[in-house]
Amino acid sequence: HLSAMTVAHGTPDLYSAKKATLGQDPLRSDADPELLYSKIAKSKKSIGRILMDQSYFAGPGNIYRAEILFLAGVYPTTTGMNLDRPSFDRVWNVSVSLLRRGYDTGSI
């Protein structure tokens, strides 16, 4: 089983400020996919870039980005503005599933 190291660096204000810049985390039960979709629907960025932007999705890296989009059946250059709700739902649900599996198996 993996363990984690805790590093105390800075004050709680620094933590709060950094956390406020992060987007929705598919691993968290308090994540708000509705808020995320409303932000994505206004974006001209591609969904591939959005998945890598921690201010939208907190967590996925490049390998997860590729797997998420492949399994969701969404082309990576689709812009946020052109991503329909069913496609977003597939991206979100696959994100939750893959990241949860990665966390549970200790690979992330």
Side-chain angles (χ1 to χ4, degrees):
H1 187 73
L2 297 176
S3 63
M5 180 187 318
T6 302
V7 177
H9 178 75
T11 65
D13 291 338
L14 176 63
Y15 168 79
S16 296
K18 293 293 183 185
K19 185 176 182 302
T21 66
L22 294 176
Q24 301 304 309
D25 184 342
L27 288 175
R28 294 186 53 95
S29 61
D30 63 349
D32 187 348
E34 298 299 323
L35 180 65
L36 178 58
Y37 181 69
S38 69
K39 185 175 179 179
I40 288 173
K42 298 173 191 166
S43 178
K44 293 180 182 178
K45 289 183 181 181
S46 70
I47 188 61
R49 292 192 65 189
I50 289 170
L51 274 164
M52 297 295 296
D53 185 334
Q54 298 293 300
S55 70
Y56 286 86
F57 279 85
N62 192 44
I63 292 172
Y64 276 108
R65 176 199 61 84
E67 284 294 311
I68 289 165
L69 293 174
F70 175 76
L71 292 173
V74 175
Y75 200 70
T77 59
T78 303
T79 63
M81 292 176 10
N82 290 320
L83 188 71
D84 62 23
R85 185 57 196 241
S87 297
F88 167 79
D89 290 340
R90 289 193 311 273
V91 168
W92 178 257
N93 291 332
V94 170
S95 299
V96 170
S97 176
L98 287 181
L99 291 171
R100 173 58 51 201
R101 184 181 70 195
Y103 179 80
D104 290 345
T105 61
S107 64
I108 60 170

